[in-house]
Amino acid sequence: QVQLVESGGGLVQPGGSLRLSCAASGMVFSIYDMGWYRQAPGKQRELVAAITNAGSTNYPDSVKGRFSISRDNAKNTVYLQMNSLKPEDTAVYLCKAVLSRMGYRFEYWGQGTQVTVSS
């Protein structure tokens, strides 16, 4: 079955950096569009970065210039490089895989990894 496993979260000081990884298995990774989302307590889940199967990327204004998404299809892994972290970036970060083909939509989520930005 499809599995997405995030790693790389932790505690970091404001202004610091973290690199998250999402390792996929049980799927043809290269044909999926991938995304990183975050959810803070009491807030809605929000997209922080997306990358298509062709490598096009998209970011909301809140993280543009600070976060960078990339993928390594040979390793079935998508990454999120987070720089200049702020306390408001504190959240559980989740990986999502999406495939839309011939009217069908396949969507999978990982369990998430906690990122805490605090001094």
Side-chain angles (χ1 to χ4, degrees), residues 95-115:
C95 176
K96 177 182 172 182
V98 177
L99 175 66
S100 296
R101 285 282 171 92
M102 296 182 291
Y104 291 91
R105 181 178 174 88
F106 303 90
E107 187 174 296
Y108 304 98
W109 289 91
Q111 293 296 309
T113 185
Q114 177 71 45
V115 172

Side-chain angles (χ1 to χ4, degrees), residues 42-117:
K43 293 188 177 181
Q44 285 193 332
R45 189 171 293 185
E46 61 173 348
L47 174 73
V48 295
I51 186 166
T52 69
N53 57 11
S56 297
T57 59
N58 183 46
Y59 307 92
D61 288 343
S62 58
V63 306
K64 199 171 290 183
R66 301 189 298 123
F67 290 12
S68 178
I69 188 170
S70 61
R71 64 190 298 159
D72 185 336
N73 290 339
K75 295 183 178 179
N76 289 356
T77 300
V78 61
Y79 303 97
L80 182 68
Q81 178 67 43
M82 304 186 296
N83 299 325
S84 302
L85 283 161
K86 305 174 182 180
E88 51 263 42
D89 295 318
T90 295
V92 174
Y93 283 70
L94 304 105
C95 176
K96 177 182 172 182
V98 177
L99 175 66
S100 296
R101 285 282 171 92
M102 296 182 291
Y104 291 91
R105 181 178 174 88
F106 303 90
E107 187 174 296
Y108 304 98
W109 289 91
Q111 293 296 309
T113 185
Q114 177 71 45
V115 172
T116 302
V117 184

